[in-house]
């Protein structure tokens, strides 16, 4: 019976863990897969020894007091891995913790495979961590082709075939409930994010955007209140949107975007999802000016949105800091929706970018790679 350790530390990592575990158990039904997991990993057949909630920290003021507990957790997990000697250790995202755990295992003499599933974004910043990947990991399985090429160019063993969204987005459809509720309305999907920071610093901007759209009367703004939000954030978001008299969609954000003619929202995975659905998006991110100035010095990419990185073309406008204003968002939406020439050009760019996402079931490929 194969013994595989899997660790994730946040919601997105748990989703990838669930997909990977599901596919690996299809190929190896008798495998024992255990570790630090969330509900998706458990539902897929993994055994939770530690909850991924252990690493769900927000901000430096939460992280610093938690450091003794995090070090203790690392030592407990490393001790259990050394004791049970799994054939492979799969570390998913959460790089600051997982790089530390991988190095601890190597120092203790662990000689099995250590694999980074969703490796750190060394192509964007903290490039020095490449040496950690080369020293402690047998393999990296990144999400994007440009990440894969960067890792290879720096001597890291990397394999890539596709992004998991290529497979996952194939089944997205507009629910009948959505069609009945909104009919032929021209919808602008407003995506305020799923984290505390996203809601706190972007909801007002998107509410202002919705107010302009409502006043113009040509498009119907609809906010996403995806099921993945925490109860507290969900209540805050829904309360403020309803108090302002705007529409909410409580289903999947993907459904809302597919039913819309364009999207505006916070930078993140949602931009990749919009691209996979052939939807134009105005990407916003509201940063403190001092933090933004610091990041400009240490981050080595000119775009923050993956669709723009894939083709090195400005497919999606990126409105950052003081530019993330309702009037500018609406202006960018109009420039796409009401300029047929520009719309055709952007739509062709979206098709080009989608091709660079691969054409396979990424989770199935990950599962195959573990036993190579």
């Amino acid at each position: 019976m194969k013994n595989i350790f899997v660790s994730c530390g946040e919601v997105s990592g748990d989703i990838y863990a669930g997909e990977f575990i599901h596919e690996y158990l299809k190929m190896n039904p008798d495998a024992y897969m255990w570790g630090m997991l969330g509900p998706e990993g458990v539902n897929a057949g993994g055994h939770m020894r530690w909850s991924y909630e252990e690493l769900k920290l927000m901000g430096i003021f939460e992280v610093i007091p938690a450091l003794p507990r995090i070090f203790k957790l690392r030592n407990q997990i490393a001790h259990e891995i050394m004791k049970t000697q799994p054939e492979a250790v799969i570390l998913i995202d959460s790089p600051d913790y997982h790089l530390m755990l991988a190095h601890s295992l190597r120092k203790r003499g662990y000689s099995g495979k250590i694999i980074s599933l969703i490796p750190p974004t060394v192509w964007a910043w903290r490039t020095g961590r490449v040496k950690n990947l080369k020293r402690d990991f047998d393999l990296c399985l990144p999400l994007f082709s440009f990440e894969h090429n960067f890792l290879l160019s720096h001597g890291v063993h990397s394999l890539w075939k596709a992004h998991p969204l290529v497979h996952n987005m194939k089944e997205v459809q507009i629910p009948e409930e959505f069609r009945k509720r909104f009919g032929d309305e021209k919808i602008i999907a407003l995506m305020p994010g799923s984290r505390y920071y996203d809601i706190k610093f972007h909801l007002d901007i998107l509410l202002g955007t919705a107010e302009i759209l409502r006043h113009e009367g040509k498009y119907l703004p609809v906010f996403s209140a995806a099921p993945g939000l925490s109860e507290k954030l969900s209540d805050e978001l829904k309360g403020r949107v309803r108090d302002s008299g705007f529409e909410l969609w409580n289903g999947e954000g993907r459904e809302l975007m597919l039913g819309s003619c364009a999207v505006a929202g916070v930078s993140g995975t949602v931009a990749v999802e919009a691209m996979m659905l052939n939807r134009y998006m105005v990407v916003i991110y509201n940063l403190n000016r001092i933090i933004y100035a610091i990041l400009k010095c240490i981050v080595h990419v000119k775009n923050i949105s993956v669709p723009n990185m894939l083709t090195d073309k400005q497919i999606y406008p990126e409105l950052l800091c003081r530019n993330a204003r309702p009037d500018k968002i609406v202006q960018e939406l109009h420039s796409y929706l009401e300029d047929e020439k520009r719309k055709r050009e952007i739509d062709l760019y979206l098709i080009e970018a989608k091709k660079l996402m691969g054409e396979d079931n990424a989770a199935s490929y990950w599962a195959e790679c573990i036993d190579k």
Side-chain angles (χ1 to χ4, degrees), residues 139-157:
L139 174 64
C140 288
L141 296 169
L143 290 177
F144 299 101
S145 55
F146 64 82
E147 290 183 283
H148 169 62
N149 293 331
F150 182 92
L151 292 170
L152 289 179
S153 71
H154 285 73
V156 177
H157 184 208

Side-chain angles (χ1 to χ4, degrees), residues 181-182 192 221-226 234 237-242 246-251 256:
R181 180 174 166 189
F182 296 116
V222 181
F223 283 81
S224 172
S234 180
L237 170 63
K238 291 175 180 178
R240 294 198 59 200
V241 171
R242 284 172 178 153
F246 296 116
E247 296 281 356
L248 269 166
W249 176 247
N250 292 309
L256 171 59

Side-chain angles (χ1 to χ4, degrees), residues 173-184 249 258:
Q173 295 182 338
I174 301 173
E176 188 59 31
E177 175 194 349
F178 187 96
R179 296 182 189 279
K180 289 179 180 178
R181 180 174 166 189
F182 296 116
D184 296 326
W249 176 247
L258 185 59

